[in-house]
């Protein structure tokens, strides 16, 4: 069991893997969209690093299948299922109570601007936004809620939700697992010893579009939402 030493641990994917393993990983993935507070937790980096530890995670939880591929598939499948359920919870919350969020005051864990940004992202990309949002931090937390608020067709949402969750989980987890093997076999580099650099790179890659938009994009006018009726 890993001990909690500082708030920096909350941003370290390895901390969650060693502290709670398989079930904590699934909970964090679910919480990111199902509980609407997980946007500050490691998402993409958690999946990539989980892929590196896939065999160990499955062995400790269920016992190893004896196949790296099957162990990694079990992990990716569990993450995909958790991501699907989280999005569905977010969607139905949006349908039932979402409009009230636009009147909710900002807090440390909730900012209305994130909801506005997700709304704009959804309107710009349509149904494809559900799939694309999986690969964008913060946006993936609020896009399902927006889909529920605008009453996107349930079957279409479920379809895109499944596609996005499967692509997100399998791509990142398998990338982590097999890149770790590739670097070890070809270059003698153990990625487990380079996790700090890997996490920094993943965070930069996934947040770069947001940073560029913030630095160079035109300032968004969110006042257009203030009196808009989302009922």
């Amino acid at each position: 069991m890993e001990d909690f030493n500082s708030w920096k641990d909350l941003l370290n994917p390895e901390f969650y893997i060693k502290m709670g393993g398989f079930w904590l990983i699934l909970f964090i993935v679910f919480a990111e969209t199902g509980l609407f507070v997980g946007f500050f937790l490691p998402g993409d980096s958690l999946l990539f690093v989980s892929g590196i530890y896939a065999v160990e995670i499955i062995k400790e939880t269920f016992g190893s299948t004896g196949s790296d591929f099957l162990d990694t598939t079990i992990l990716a499948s569990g993450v995909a299922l958790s991501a699907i359920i989280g999005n569905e919870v977010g969607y139905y919350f949006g349908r039932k109570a979402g409009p009230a969020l636009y009147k909710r005051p900002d807090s440390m864990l909730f900012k209305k601007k994130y909801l506005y940004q997700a709304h704009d992202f959804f309107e710009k990309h349509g149904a494809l936004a559900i799939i694309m949002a999986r690969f964008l931090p913060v946006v993936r937390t609020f896009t399902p809620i927006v889909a529920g608020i605008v009453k996107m067709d349930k079957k279409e949402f479920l379809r895109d939700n499944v596609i996005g969750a499967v692509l997100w989980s399998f791509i990142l987890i398998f990338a982590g697992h097999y890149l770790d093997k590739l670097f070890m076999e070809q270059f003698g580099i153990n990625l487990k010893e380079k996790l700090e650099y890997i996490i920094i790179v993943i965070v930069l890659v996934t947040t770069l579009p947001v940073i560029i938009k913030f630095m160079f994009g035109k300032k968004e006018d969110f006042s257009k939402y203030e009196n808009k009726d989302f009922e």
Side-chain angles (χ1 to χ4, degrees):
M1 181 69 71
E2 190 85 353
D3 294 326
F4 177 80
N5 296 314
S6 71
W7 291 109
K8 292 181 180 179
D9 287 334
L10 297 178
L11 303 177
N12 182 5
E14 193 177 19
F15 169 73
Y16 296 101
I17 293 170
K18 292 184 175 181
M19 184 179 72
F22 182 77
W23 301 113
L24 183 57
I25 293 170
L26 298 194
F27 175 76
I28 291 174
V29 170
F30 168 80
E32 195 169 21
T33 52
L35 301 181
F36 330 121
V37 296
F39 60 86
F40 62 89
L41 297 172
D44 302 307
S45 58
L46 176 63
L47 267 60
F48 187 89
V49 176
S50 295
I52 296 176
Y53 284 96
V55 174
E56 293 94 325
I57 292 171
I58 298 303
K59 182 178 180 180
E60 292 179 2
T61 308
F62 306 108
S64 178
T65 65
S67 166
D68 281 15
F69 178 78
L70 287 178
D71 287 344
T72 307
T73 299
I74 291 172
L75 176 61
S77 298
V79 168
L81 180 60
S82 185
I84 291 169
I85 294 173
N87 258 21
E88 289 296 321
V89 171
Y91 172 80
Y92 280 101
F93 180 83
R95 287 184 70 95
K96 298 296 182 181
L101 288 176
Y102 286 94
K103 301 176 182 178
R104 177 179 172 178
D106 286 349
S107 65
M108 183 176 70
L109 295 179
F110 175 81
K111 304 292 183 184
K112 280 191 290 186
K113 67 177 182 179
Y114 297 149
L115 197 60
Y116 298 151
Q117 288 168 352
H119 190 282
D120 284 350
F121 183 79
F122 184 85
E123 285 196 335
K124 181 177 180 180
H125 299 286
L128 187 60
I130 306 302
I131 299 174
M132 297 171 60
R134 273 294 173 197
F135 297 87
L136 296 173
V138 179
V139 174
R140 64 171 163 258
T141 299
F142 294 97
T143 297
I145 303 175
V146 171
I149 292 174
V150 301
K151 293 182 170 55
M152 178 181 178
D153 181 79
K154 296 178 182 178
K155 292 182 180 179
E156 291 183 2
F157 178 81
L158 177 60
R159 177 199 64 202
D160 297 333
N161 181 18
V162 170
I163 293 173
V166 170
L167 288 175
W168 182 59
S169 59
F170 274 76
I171 288 174
L172 288 174
I173 289 175
F174 271 83
H177 181 72
Y178 285 103
L179 282 177
D180 179 48
K181 295 185 67 175
L182 175 66
F183 273 75
M184 178 61 75
E185 293 173 359
Q186 298 296 323
F187 310 107
I189 298 175
N190 185 352
L191 292 187
K192 292 185 179 71
E193 299 175 354
K194 309 291 183 181
L195 289 182
E196 289 186 2
Y197 300 106
I198 292 173
I199 293 169
I200 291 173
V201 170
I202 293 176
V203 170
L204 286 176
V205 169
T206 56
T207 60
L208 189 59
V210 179
I211 295 174
I212 292 176
K213 183 175 178 61
F214 177 78
M215 295 293 293
F216 303 105
K218 64 179 182 179
K219 189 174 181 180
E220 297 289 345
D221 179 17
F222 293 132
S223 62
K224 59 185 176 181
Y225 293 108
E226 295 300 325
N227 299 315
K228 189 171 182 179
D229 184 10
F230 289 96
E231 296 289 351

